[in-house]
Amino acid sequence: MSDFTIDDALALRVEEGFHLSDVDPSETPGFEGDSDELDEAFHSFNDLLDEEQEKLFANGRKHPETTGGILLVLQGMDTSGKGGVIRHVVRQLDPQGVHTVGFGRPTEEEAAHDFLWRVEKHLPGPGLISVFDRSHYEDVLVQRVNALAPPEEIERRYGAIVDFESRAAANGITIIKVMLHISRAFQKKNLMERLERPDKHWKYDPGDLEDRAKWERYQAAYQIALERTSTDDAPWYCVPGDNKKYARMVVKALIADALKSMELEWPEADFDPEEEKKRLKKS
Amino acid sequence: MSDFTIDDALALRVEEGFHLSDVDPSETPGFEGDSDELDEAFHSFNDLLDEEQEKLFANGRKHPETTGGILLVLQGMDTSGKGGVIRHVVRQLDPQGVHTVGFGRPTEEEAAHDFLWRVEKHLPGPGLISVFDRSHYEDVLVQRVNALAPPEEIERRYGAIVDFESRAAANGITIIKVMLHISRAFQKKNLMERLERPDKHWKYDPGDLEDRAKWERYQAAYQIALERTSTDDAPWYCVPGDNKKYARMVVKALIADALKSMELEWPEADFDPEEEKKRLKKS
């Protein structure tokens, strides 16, 4: 029986003095055990998630003015497991209350707007959970590494992101930002698997190797993004990702924490249940 | 071991000469067995769903011009189990490829447009599955029963819906329309449960009893909608709903059929895998 707890997940938070290079992608902080125990720990959060997400959704319906939402941002290098988190963790949630968005290369229309424009419209409404597969952070990651915007514009964006996220938090959105941190060797293994299996070819892009060649520059860009935008309103969690099941369990625990912290109650009836029972019996 | 098959689900299709009153909501056509066997049959479609949905999503990514989508429309009286289908069946799908939309009372902006306006923008893109919890059919159901639009406008809508759906089909969208057909007695039981359990109060609305009082008029409106809009492009399935697990299994089988009928293959590599392996090894 594993004793991995929500606190173990919260301990992965990016705090002052954080160095990405101190995080070993192959470790599983807070968890010791075999693959079966990992499965067990993974599922141990299911009941909490089920009940609390339904409460959140219910409150969003009945009291939209006072109910918040949750935003989960997933970032990481190619093959870091963002899709797997969605397939295995987000699937645990009731689809009625979840909105998943992938952010690829900006379209022409998107590129014509401020970089936050395309993101803002996908913020979660009352009672809902939005999941971003990549996000506005690409605008300070791939865009920084490849100098796709002038340096002063990149610089401006860190502050713009902090402001944007703190406005969202003030509007009741709980923000969880996860960097799935894998090793360069693990990426090689994953890319090789994509090349060896015809059912995975569609996930491979020859351009992935260009990004891979810039590994250190990406790590440096992540370091800057994490240290400059991990705030109380919108903390980053740097999750070791070489053990995919471990990373998924951590993300699940972080969602569980966000839901639990809302201390939700079932909405009170805005009718008299006894009176309605009488009406129903006669109906 | 149950032998419920996709063909059993397809047999519930609304054909010429269909009468809603001939369908017994408590029956489970094509299935005989206990609750455990029903669970087993329910899960028997999982592998097909997993693999074929991923193929659909993959093709949507690589070949958006030639890849279709799936639209699942869920209709039914209050407590007929639409939410349960989403929670139990749609959850089986990868959230990356699914978009769930609930259609409530039209907003002021929506009401100012043609009734199909708010629906059209949620049609599935390439490789995606949209699920409608209620839909444009409310505009010929609740609106007909309560005379919320002039009779000639209601009349116009049946043809407009058929045109709209056949255009969507021509654009590659496979449409599955499901009416979850429950009995009036089953609804009473469900509503009572909502009144008895504080964690279900949020789902209850005193107005539900007004709709319940108009049961026969709703059934008549369903009869007209089903017979006038069940087409080869967009067939209706009338699914007995008093056994919720049975109804969910049927919907799952219908999605499985839609995916299977697409005869999808994994997208072919648009690169030379052997060449890329060499590049990767050196990287």
Side-chain angles (χ1 to χ4, degrees), chain A residues 58 86-87 91-94 188 192 199 202 204 209-210 212 266 271 276 279-281 283, chain B residues 58 87 91-94 96 188 192 199 202 204 206 209-210 212 266 271 276 279-281 283:
Chain A
I86 294 172
R87 211 156 39 249
R91 185 189 267 181
Q92 179 64 37
L93 303 167
D94 184 342
K188 191 171 204 167
M192 193 54 83
D199 63 331
W202 68 279
Y204 182 87
L209 294 189
E210 269 91 86
R212 179 170 165 76
W266 291 108
F271 49 83
E276 291 300 315
R279 285 181 70 212
L280 175 59
K281 273 177 194 153
S283 79
Chain B
R87 212 158 37 250
R91 186 189 265 181
Q92 180 64 37
L93 302 167
D94 184 342
Q96 287 178 94
K188 191 171 204 164
M192 193 54 84
D199 64 331
W202 69 278
Y204 182 87
L209 294 189
E210 269 91 83
R212 180 171 164 76
W266 291 108
F271 50 83
E276 292 300 316
R279 283 182 70 211
L280 175 59
K281 273 176 193 155
S283 79

Side-chain angles (χ1 to χ4, degrees), chain B residues 8-9 17 23-24 36 42 45 48 69 78 86 88 91 119 127 137 143 163 220 234 237 245 261 278 281 283:
Chain B
D8 291 316
V23 181
D24 181 343
D36 285 348
F42 180 78
F45 298 104
L48 192 159
D78 286 324
I86 293 171
H88 295 273
R91 186 189 265 181
V119 175
Y137 283 95
Q143 297 227 350
D163 288 348
Y237 298 88
K245 281 188 179 179
S261 303
K278 278 183 217 155
K281 273 176 193 155
S283 79

Side-chain angles (χ1 to χ4, degrees), chain A residues 83-93 95 98-101 131, chain B residues 53 57 90-100 128-129:
Chain A
V85 165
I86 294 172
R87 211 156 39 249
H88 295 273
V89 181
V90 177
R91 185 189 267 181
Q92 179 64 37
L93 303 167
V98 177
H99 175 52
T100 304
V101 206
V131 180
Chain B
Q53 188 207 355
F57 186 75
V90 178
R91 186 189 265 181
Q92 180 64 37
L93 302 167
D94 184 342
Q96 287 178 94
V98 177
H99 174 51
T100 304
L128 302 179
I129 301 177

Side-chain angles (χ1 to χ4, degrees), chain B residues 147-160:
Chain B
L148 299 178
E152 60 278 13
E153 165 62 9
I154 300 283
E155 280 308 304
R156 182 191 73 82
R157 289 178 182 170
Y158 299 101

Side-chain angles (χ1 to χ4, degrees), chain A residues 196-213:
Chain A
E196 273 162 2
R197 288 177 48 178
D199 63 331
K200 298 219 169 201
H201 281 165
W202 68 279
K203 293 187 178 184
Y204 182 87
D205 184 313
D208 295 348
L209 294 189
E210 269 91 86
D211 280 343
R212 179 170 165 76

Side-chain angles (χ1 to χ4, degrees), chain B residues 33-67:
Chain B
D34 61 19
S35 178
D36 285 348
E37 286 164 309
L38 198 40
D39 285 336
E40 199 183 321
F42 180 78
H43 290 296
S44 69
F45 298 104
N46 289 2
D47 290 347
L48 192 159
L49 243 53
D50 270 356
E51 178 157 347
E52 296 304 320
Q53 188 207 355
E54 194 181 353
K55 272 190 203 158
L56 177 62
F57 186 75
N59 278 283
R61 282 289 179 87
K62 301 303 279 186
H63 308 298
E65 316 75 24
T66 52
T67 305

